[in-house]
């Protein structure tokens, strides 16, 4: 066996703090809930300003067309309309957005409104501002756009054909990125394996977590100061700042993002920066704040869809004992019409190259194309779940084709508990885990043997089929932004981090602000829990600022809430800031109590001498000495404490090797193991989920109730995607699901009760032993597809689609006797 | 945030004078014929706890109770509520204290982002009035018109069940 990479990544283990414990680890109810339950939250559409206008975008009905002319005169003549902005104006007033891709993909030019051409149904060509949302919508109808339709390309693989309709002339083809990831020695593995399982095609579909609150923003280009105030629900505001600033030619101190409550985001709300840019220009032009809230159809058409990926020519070398040696595959990612955060999806999957298995030889020939569809944007499980679905499909197909038990085959190939830290073929380091235990717990929760028996008893003729499926997945978190250099070595990005600011305020209150933009993950609560432990007080007394405000919250360029990392980066920052504050408090207390710092302890909002609680000073006393009584202190002490402590948590990363495409791309690897039991009606294809369990491992848990909530949510969205939720385009590029009538978001009747089990393998690499979680790695897609396959007869085709409507399931069950199965086994 | 705003003056639609009681308080307003009830609540009266999630009556974020009936306020026009009595999420807490149902959502983590929560609470209030001791299946049917994208419904169902057990249903039934 040749060229298996030698271990090249070392991650230092973190010295564990000993102060977490009294509050951390407890399911304390959330601090955020009161305002939500009383209807007193502040979402973006709740924001109101004097002289504010309502914006409405004019969208293309065509998938691909030249813009011949845009006439806004009738719209502007309507009573109550403040004005309009068009693509031609935008081209004069702003620069195209910077591109992550290297040339030629990076030559792509996108402004905040379409210039010259529209490239998908929903592409915005103009925007109107009016005194009410109703008038704005009327006025948008009055904008007359003359289009010259062009042929559309909606298939991501066909788009790579040199003769396909070209979206972006300046790119020269529809291929925006291509690279070969080659680890180990796949040719050796294919030549030496006992079996090679070949799968023709697997297709991971487009869908979106469709946050219930649509994208929204109130943007005011302040005329006096030149500051652009942006109150929005963008979930990655500092990334948005980095993109918007150069486009508008303004420095970062002129862009001020704010948000408070965000009604779900799931990655989708990274993508609102073009609209925010257009609103800024509109506000500047018309001298008014511009408020925009998407209608649901706007959101479905243009807010961004999750990545669609097609895998072809899949070859899997397997030994007689079931050892899966490797995977060889060609992957095509279809980014839609523009590159929003893409082509990062072309590398982010490589955080989880072997999935949960000791697969050593992997070759992925990866192509990313553009097509006449809505641009993709990160969606819960971004890019990794597509790859993990491929790996899980492979494991189940291997089991089915070679006659292995899916449980035993998994356990045989899993990375074992003693293997951690485990270095993957591309030099990522999996921090910790116990996959066999997680699988046993999940199987136990559904009573697997009982279902197997029931399945056998059911037999033919009942009209029903029972299928049982397993999905093991990873939720990699705290990514190393250096992986962007694997896409484009010129990009000046690497590492990651988050900031927090802890302060003892005038009356001794502990105040904390964060760089994050939570969307329901309970940051105010969990941050208060860790800070409370460090400062010896109740979380009720830790005031965490609700929401993000660039004017006074602290931040780094990575700030925001995305990619399963808060428990590591956000809490790492909060803990660091609290530790700094604790050190200052102790220093002042030691002076005031004439005691040695080593003899002091914190508790109940006081500092006291250990063993003598009478000798104590409350936090208000510390605050008094520093803020308003500092002549009492020694000059040296007064000059060295501020009780205002900022900390930036920086994870231990190096810059990846862009040529070898290796490096430690993620700090933590939470895992989830799902087991799905479903029943299919043979006559209709109707599916009912009979039992569902998840075993979760996100290391040390700070708030178990919140973690369970994240597991439930990710599970329901994944089941929704697997069975109900899909975005499909017809051949002309018309979206067929543009409201919740057609896009069936999973309801309480569709979703099963979800049983949860827990494994806790603390991460050795993080400040608190936690691993980031929340995205969930798309495990329900893996488990549901496996369960459907399990319910089919041996002659049935491979379940090759990640989305299986009842109709598709009906067709799989009632397949032609000799239908192509899409799989072949070559045995030596 | 709850300041009342000026009605739009440039819209040429027909105006209607309406009188409506919301959470016990009477409001007299002139509204445009095409204004949706949800926009009347949110934009005109500043009662922003009621949310908009879809504009098509699919998601239930805008659920309120009009004359004892659970409705989606994006599916009703403001002039239609003339003379009606409306209950919204803002009316649930009494003297600033969460009611049994709200407290149960807090204790059982029945909300994450909070966007569906007001509609979910109104749907649950309506359910518990009709059925003070619902089964899990009946709870799921009771909230089938309300989409939540965060919780997978598990803890919402649990919250409503726990609220019923704590007597929320009986109290709601008595309040009819």
């Amino acid at each position: 066996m040749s060229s298996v990479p030698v271990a090249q990544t070392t991650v230092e283990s973190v010295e564990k703090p000993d102060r977490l414990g009294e509050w951390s680890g407890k399911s304390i109810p959330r601090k955020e809930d009161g305002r939500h339950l009383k209807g007193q939250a502040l979402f973006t559409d709740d924001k109101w300003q004097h002289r504010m206008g309502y914006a409405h975008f004019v969208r293309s009905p065509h998938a691909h067309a030249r813009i011949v002319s845009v006439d806004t005169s009738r719209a502007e003549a309507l009573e109550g309309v403040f004005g309009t902005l068009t693509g031609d104006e935008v081209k004069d007033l702003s620069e195209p957005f910077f591109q992550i891709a290297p040339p030629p993909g990076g030559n792509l030019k996108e402004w905040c409104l379409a210039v010259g051409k529209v490239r998908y149904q929903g592409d915005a060509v103009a925007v109107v501002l009016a005194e009410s949302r109703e008038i704005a919508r009327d006025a948008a109808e009055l904008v007359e756009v003359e289009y010259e339709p062009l042929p559309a390309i909606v298939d991501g693989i066909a788009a790579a054909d040199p003769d396909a309709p070209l979206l972006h002339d300046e790119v020269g083809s529809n291929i925006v990125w291509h690279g070969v990831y080659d680890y180990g020695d796949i040719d050796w593995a294919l030549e030496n394996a006992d079996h090679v399982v070949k799968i023709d095609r697997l297709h991971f579909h487009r869908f979106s977590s469709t946050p219930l609150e649509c994208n929204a923003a109130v943007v005011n280009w302040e005329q006096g100061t030149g500051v652009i105030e942006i109150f929005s629900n963008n979930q990655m505001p500092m990334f948005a700042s980095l993109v918007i600033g150069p486009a508008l030619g303004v420095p970062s101190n002129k862009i001020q993002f704010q948000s408070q409550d965000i009604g779900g985001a799931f990655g989708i709300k990274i993508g609102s920066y073009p609209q925010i840019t257009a609103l800024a220009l509109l506000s500047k032009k018309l001298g008014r704040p511009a408020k925009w809230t998407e209608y649901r159809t706007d959101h479905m058409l243009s807010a961004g869809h999750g990545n669609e990926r097609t895998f072809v020519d899949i070859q899997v070398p397997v030994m007689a004992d079931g050892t899966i040696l490797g995977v060889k595959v060609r992957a095509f990612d279809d980014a839609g019409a523009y590159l929003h955060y893409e082509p990062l999806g072309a590398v982010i999957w490589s955080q989880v190259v072997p999935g949960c298995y000791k697969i050593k030889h992997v070759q992925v020939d990866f192509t990313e194309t553009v097509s006449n569809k809505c641009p993709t944007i990160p969606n819960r499980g971004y890019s990794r779940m597509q790859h993990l679905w491929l790996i899980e499909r492979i494991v189940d197909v291997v089991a089915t084709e070679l006659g292995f038990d899916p449980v035993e085959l998994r356990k045989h190939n899993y990375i074992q508990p003693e293997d951690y830290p485990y270095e993957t073929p591309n030099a990522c380091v999996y921090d910790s885990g116990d996959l066999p235990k997680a699988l046993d717990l999940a199987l136990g929760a559904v009573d697997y043997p009982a279902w197997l028996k029931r399945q056998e008893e059911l037999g033919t003729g009942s009209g029903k089929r029972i299928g049982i499926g397993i999905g093991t997945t990873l939720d990699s978190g705290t990514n190393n932004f250096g992986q962007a250099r694997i896409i484009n070595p010129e990009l000046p990005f690497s590492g990651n981090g988050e900031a927090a600011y802890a302060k003892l305020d005038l009356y001794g209150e502990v105040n904390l602000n964060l760089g994050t933009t939570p969307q329901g993950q309970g940051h105010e609560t969990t941050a208060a829990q860790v800070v409370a432990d460090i400062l010896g007080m109740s979380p009720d007394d830790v005031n965490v600022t609700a929401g993000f405000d660039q004017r006074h919250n602290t931040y780094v360029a990575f700030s925001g809430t995305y990619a399963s990392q808060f428990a590591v980066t956000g809490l790492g920052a909060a803990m660091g800031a609290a530790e700094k504050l604790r050190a200052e408090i102790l220093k002042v207390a030691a002076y005031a109590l004439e005691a040695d710092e080593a003899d002091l302890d914190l508790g109940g909002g006081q500092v006291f001498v250990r063993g003598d609680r009478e000798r104590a000073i409350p936090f208000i006393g510390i605050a008094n000495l520093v803020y308003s009584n500092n002549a009492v202190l020694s000059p040296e002490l007064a000059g060295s404490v501020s009780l205002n402590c900022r900390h930036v948590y920086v994870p231990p990363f190096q810059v990846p090797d862009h040529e070898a495409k290796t490096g430690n791309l993620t700090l933590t690897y939470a895992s989830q193991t799902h087991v799905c039991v479903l029943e299919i009606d043979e006559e209709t294809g109707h599916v009912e989920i009979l039992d569902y369990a998840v075993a979760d491992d996100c290391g040390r848990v700070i708030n178990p109730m919140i973690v369970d909530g994240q597991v439930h949510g990710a599970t329901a969205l994944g089941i929704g995607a697997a069975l109900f939720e899909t975005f499909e385009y017809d051949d002309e590029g018309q979206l067929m699901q543009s409201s919740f009538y057609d896009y069936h978001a999973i309801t309480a009747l569709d979703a099963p009760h979800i049983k949860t089990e827990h494994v806790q393998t603390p991460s050795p690499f993080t400040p608190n032993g936690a691993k980031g979680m929340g995205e969930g790695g798309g495990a329900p897609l893996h488990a549901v597809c496996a369960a459907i396959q399990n319910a089919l007869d041996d002659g049935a085709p491979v379940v090759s689609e990640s989305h299986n409507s009842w109709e598709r399931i009906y067709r799989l069950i009632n397949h032609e006797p000799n239908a192509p199965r899409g799989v072949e086994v070559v045995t030596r | 945030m709850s300041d009342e705003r000026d009605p739009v003056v440039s819209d040429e639609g027909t105006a209607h004078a309406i009188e409506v009681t919301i959470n016990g308080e009477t409001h007299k307003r002139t509204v445009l014929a095409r204004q949706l009830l949800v926009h009347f609540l949110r934009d005109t009266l500043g009662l922003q706890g009621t949310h908009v999630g879809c504009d098509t009556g699919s998601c239930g974020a805008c659920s309120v109770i009009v004359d004892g009936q659970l409705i989606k306020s994006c599916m009703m026009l403001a002039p239609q509520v003339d003379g009606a009595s409306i209950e919204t999420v803002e009316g649930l807490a009494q003297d600033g204290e969460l009611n049994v149902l709200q407290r149960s959502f807090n204790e059982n983590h029945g909300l994450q982002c909070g966007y569906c929560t007001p509609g979910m609470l109104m749907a649950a209030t309506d359910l518990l009035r009709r059925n003070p001791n619902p089964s899990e299946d009946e709870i799921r049917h009771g909230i089938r018109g309300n989409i939540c994208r965060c919780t997978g419904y598990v803890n919402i169902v649990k919250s409503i069940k726990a609220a019923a057990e704590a007597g929320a249903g009986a109290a709601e039934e008595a309040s009819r």
Side-chain angles (χ1 to χ4, degrees):
Chain A
M1 203 183 297
S2 63
S3 74
V4 177
V6 292
Q8 52 178 281
T9 307
T10 309
V11 187
E12 294 293 325
S13 294
V14 175
E15 191 73 22
K16 290 287 186 303
D18 53 6
R19 282 190 268 277
L20 297 192
E22 188 180 351
W23 296 104
S24 302
K26 291 204 170 79
S27 289
I28 67 168
R30 299 195 318 167
K31 294 164 84 78
E32 294 87 341
D33 288 359
R35 64 179 183 267
H36 288 296
L37 290 164
K38 291 179 182 174
Q40 295 170 342
L42 181 64
F43 292 97
T44 301
D45 193 69
D46 301 337
K47 190 77 178 171
W48 188 89
Q49 290 190 13
H50 286 287
R51 303 189 71 252
M52 175 180 90
Y54 293 81
H56 197 89
F57 285 88
V58 179
R59 300 192 179 280
S60 167
H62 300 286
H64 198 190
R66 202 164 301 288
I67 301 170
V68 178
S69 64
V70 180
D71 181 356
T72 59
S73 58
R74 286 183 66 207
E76 294 192 359
L78 185 72
E79 188 79 15
V81 171
F82 298 134
T84 62
L85 184 76
T86 66
D88 281 347
E89 289 173 88
V90 157
K91 193 180 176 198
D92 287 341
L93 296 169
S94 65
E95 296 296 320
F97 295 120
F98 101 89
Q99 294 294 326
I100 290 168
N107 293 337
L108 184 157
K109 284 195 169 42
E110 182 194 10
W111 284 267
C112 60
L113 294 173
V115 173
K117 274 213 313 192
V118 290
R119 295 179 176 86
Y120 70 99
Q121 182 207 8
D123 208 352
V125 294
V127 58
V128 173
L129 195 74
E131 65 183 39
S132 76
R133 54 183 103 228
E134 291 86 357
I135 295 173
R137 208 175 185 184
D138 287 351
E141 289 289 315
L142 295 174
V143 173
E144 292 174 356
V145 186
E146 190 185 334
Y147 296 100
E148 179 190 317
L150 298 167
I153 180 80
V154 294
D155 182 293
I157 296 182
D161 191 310
D163 298 327
L166 183 62
L167 267 80
H168 299 274
D169 292 344
E170 59 276 18
V171 177
S173 84
N174 293 325
I175 297 174
V176 287
W177 195 83
H178 173 259
V180 179
Y181 295 81
D182 199 2
Y183 308 118
D185 189 345
I186 191 65
D187 292 335
W188 174 89
L190 288 168
E191 281 164 21
N192 289 280
D194 294 322
H195 312 280
V196 175
V197 177
K198 298 181 176 183
I199 309 169
D200 296 343
R201 178 182 181 275
L202 294 171
H203 174 244
F204 193 96
H205 74 296
R206 272 182 173 243
F207 60 93
S208 158
S209 300
T210 57
L212 199 56
E213 179 204 33
C214 288
N215 281 312
V218 181
V219 180
N220 184 25
W221 195 318
E222 241 269 326
Q223 311 281 303
T225 60
V227 168
I228 307 169
E229 299 168 342
I230 303 163
F231 192 99
S232 79
N233 51 18
N234 187 288
Q235 71 182 102
M236 206 174 174
M238 305 323 298
F239 172 78
S241 275
L242 290 174
V243 178
I244 292 171
L248 294 177
V250 298
S252 57
N253 68 317
K254 298 292 186 196
I255 300 179
Q256 291 179 351
F257 268 94
Q258 295 173 58
S259 58
Q260 187 180 303
D261 297 302
I262 298 180
F266 313 110
I268 303 295
K269 285 177 179 165
I270 293 171
S272 59
Y273 60 85
Q275 294 92 331
I276 289 172
T277 308
L279 294 169
L281 291 172
L282 188 65
S283 170
K284 186 179 191 188
K285 178 182 174 183
L286 302 174
R288 288 176 181 274
K291 175 178 192 162
W292 162 72
T293 303
E294 282 172 329
Y295 284 82
R296 180 54 63 182
T297 295
D298 288 317
H299 186 87
M300 299 298 207
L301 284 171
S302 64
H305 301 161
N307 289 45
E308 176 182 4
R309 191 170 300 166
T310 311
F311 303 96
V312 294
D313 305 335
I314 302 152
Q315 296 184 62
V316 186
V318 187
M319 298 309 283
D321 68 352
T323 303
I324 299 173
L325 297 178
V327 177
K328 183 177 183 180
V329 62
R330 290 197 297 140
F332 289 82
D333 229 39
D334 177 353
Y338 301 96
L339 300 178
H340 290 177
Y341 212 68
E342 291 301 316
L344 288 179
V347 64
I348 282 175
W349 67 271
S350 70
Q351 296 170 6
V352 293
V353 164
C356 299
Y357 307 97
K358 291 201 264 192
I359 297 173
K360 303 283 190 194
H361 310 279
V362 179
Q363 188 191 89
V364 180
D365 183 316
F366 202 109
T367 302
E368 185 155 324
T369 58
V370 285
S371 73
N372 295 114
K373 296 190 283 196
C374 175
T376 58
I377 199 74
N379 180 43
R380 197 171 199 167
Y382 177 43
S383 188
R384 293 97 86 216
M385 73 175 156
Q386 287 81 350
H387 183 73
L388 291 158
W389 178 76
L390 164 77
I391 299 289
E392 290 295 291
R393 282 281 63 225
I394 284 172
V395 170
D396 280 304
V397 170
V398 165
T400 306
E401 299 304 313
L402 299 180
F404 291 106
D405 177 85
V407 174
E408 294 312 315
L409 186 68
R410 280 188 168 77
K411 286 187 174 175
H412 177 72
N413 283 283
Y414 272 157
I415 295 159
Q416 298 298 316
E418 63 275 16
D419 295 333
Y420 297 96
Y422 179 81
E423 181 158 333
T424 68
N426 61 326
C428 289
V429 180
Y430 289 3
D431 47 348
S432 60
D434 191 341
L435 297 166
K437 183 178 173 189
L439 181 52
D440 284 339
L441 282 172
L443 290 170
V446 300
D447 196 353
Y448 184 58
W451 282 117
L452 285 176
K453 192 154 169 272
R454 176 97 176 268
Q455 190 178 33
E456 204 173 315
E457 286 165 0
L458 195 62
T460 48
S462 65
K464 303 280 188 192
R465 306 270 186 95
I466 285 178
I468 309 168
I470 298 163
T472 317
T473 205
L474 296 169
D475 193 349
S476 50
T478 306
N479 71 74
N480 178 354
F481 276 80
Q483 63 204 277
R485 298 193 194 207
I486 291 173
I487 291 292
N488 180 355
E490 302 300 317
L491 286 177
F493 297 134
S494 68
N496 196 339
E498 187 52 274
Y501 188 87
K503 167 157 107 170
L504 195 69
D505 223 326
L506 297 181
Y507 286 100
E509 308 94 331
V510 171
N511 296 334
L512 182 77
N513 75 47
L514 305 167
T516 62
T517 52
Q519 313 113 30
Q521 298 91 338
H523 291 187
E524 291 168 44
T525 305
T526 49
Q529 286 177 266
V530 296
V531 170
D533 276 342
I534 290 167
L535 297 179
M537 56 198 298
S538 161
D540 290 345
D541 298 327
V542 178
N543 306 306
V544 185
T545 306
F548 178 78
D549 188 331
Q550 205 171 343
R551 292 171 303 184
H552 21 77
N553 286 49
T554 182
Y555 57 85
V556 292
F558 306 112
S559 287
T561 295
Y562 55 91
S564 300
Q565 64 179 32
F566 176 74
V568 176
T569 58
L571 293 184
M575 289 166 63
E579 288 287 352
K580 286 177 179 171
L581 183 58
R582 178 188 165 97
E584 289 200 1
I585 288 170
L586 284 171
K587 208 167 163 185
V588 177
Y591 185 88
L593 297 173
E594 296 177 347
D596 197 59
E597 267 184 61
D599 296 331
L600 298 180
D601 217 339
L602 278 70
Q606 290 190 333
V607 187
F608 57 89
V609 178
R610 209 172 289 116
D612 182 6
R613 283 204 81 129
E614 295 298 306
R615 277 180 73 197
I617 178 168
F619 284 1
I620 188 172
I622 306 277
N624 168 260
L625 289 173
V626 174
Y627 287 121
S628 46
N629 201 8
N630 61 17
V632 170
L633 304 177
S634 70
E636 190 225 344
L637 180 57
S640 69
V641 294
S642 66
L643 303 181
N644 281 249
C645 301
R646 178 178 191 257
H647 184 75
V648 176
Y649 167 73
V650 177
F653 283 131
Q654 297 90 41
V655 176
D657 180 336
H658 70 85
E659 280 180 14
K661 298 186 172 65
T662 56
N664 195 23
L665 306 186
T666 331
L667 192 66
T668 65
Y669 288 84
S671 77
Q672 283 190 10
T673 304
H674 292 220
V675 177
C676 172
V677 182
L678 51 76
E679 184 181 77
I680 301 174
D681 183 294
E682 291 178 353
E683 275 190 17
T684 61
H686 176 279
V687 173
E688 187 179 349
I689 293 178
L690 302 177
D691 209 346
Y692 203 102
V694 182
D696 166 79
D697 177 5
C698 61
R700 185 177 189 172
V701 174
I702 306 301
N703 188 318
M705 183 180 77
I706 289 177
V707 165
D708 267 4
Q710 293 294 312
V711 169
H712 295 154
T715 301
L717 289 185
I719 292 170
L723 293 172
F724 310 109
E725 304 180 23
T726 179
F727 284 125
E728 295 163 322
Y729 285 84
D730 71 9
D731 292 343
E732 293 181 341
Q734 296 289 308
L735 180 63
M736 295 193 284
Q737 295 85 9
S738 61
S739 77
F740 279 138
Y741 284 130
D742 321 301
Y743 189 92
H744 182 87
I746 189 168
T747 70
L749 288 182
D750 308 316
H753 177 70
I754 300 158
K755 299 171 178 171
T756 49
E757 294 285 347
H758 305 281
V759 178
Q760 284 202 29
T761 61
S763 174
F765 303 150
T766 64
N768 46 22
K771 306 191 229 183
M773 61 85 63
E775 290 183 88
L781 290 135
H782 321 330
V784 169
C785 288
I788 294 168
Q789 189 82 62
N790 182 247
L792 301 177
D793 62 88
D794 291 346
V798 164
V799 173
S800 62
E801 297 281 341
S802 56
H803 177 70
N804 289 280
S805 63
W806 294 344
E807 181 183 342
R808 186 169 284 144
I809 294 168
Y810 172 85
R811 290 180 192 285
L812 282 168
I813 284 190
N814 298 281
H815 62 89
E816 297 294 328
N818 295 313
R821 298 185 54 243
V823 63
E824 181 195 354
V825 179
V826 179
T827 298
R828 278 158 62 93
Chain B
M1 288 309 301
S2 60
D3 294 341
E4 294 188 14
R5 289 108 198 220
D6 295 334
V8 171
V9 292
S10 302
D11 200 306
E12 291 177 350
T14 317
H16 297 264
I18 64 169
E19 183 172 328
V20 58
T21 303
I22 301 173
N23 303 325
E25 189 180 340
T26 302
H27 302 263
K28 290 182 183 178
R29 287 289 181 283
T30 301
V31 298
L32 293 166
R34 66 168 170 172
Q35 189 178 29
L36 296 175
L37 173 56
V38 68
H39 290 150
F40 173 69
L41 293 172
R42 289 179 51 76
D43 297 348
T44 306
L45 300 182
L47 292 167
Q48 296 181 324
T50 303
H51 296 149
V52 181
C54 72
D55 338 294
T56 51
S58 313
C59 82
C62 65
S63 300
V64 299
I65 296 174
V66 176
D67 289 336
Q69 191 178 352
L70 182 71
I71 61 109
K72 291 175 175 174
S73 60
C74 75
M75 293 283 101
M76 201 165 181
L77 294 164
Q80 291 178 281
V81 296
D82 185 24
S85 177
I86 301 179
E87 296 162 74
T88 70
V89 67
E90 287 90 349
L92 294 181
Q94 296 303 315
D95 302 322
E97 294 294 314
L98 300 181
N99 72 12
V100 175
L101 179 67
Q102 290 168 308
R103 216 159 49 233
S104 186
F105 269 67
N106 175 238
E107 288 162 1
N108 295 289
H109 194 31
L111 65 153
Q112 290 182 28
C113 81
Y115 201 77
C116 77
T117 307
M120 211 51 97
L121 289 170
M122 299 318 288
T125 299
D126 172 68
L127 169 69
L128 294 175
R129 280 180 193 171
R130 291 183 285 108
N131 182 354
N133 287 300
S135 66
E136 168 164 351
D137 195 49
E138 287 166 339
I139 292 172
R140 287 181 178 271
H141 275 85
I143 58 169
R144 71 191 184 283
N146 294 67
I147 294 173
C148 169
R149 299 302 268 165
C150 297
T151 66
Y153 305 101
V154 176
N155 286 344
I156 292 177
V157 172
K158 189 176 167 191
S159 300
I160 297 171
K161 187 97 183 105
E165 283 160 11
E172 287 298 339
E173 196 176 40
S175 76
R176 292 184 77 177

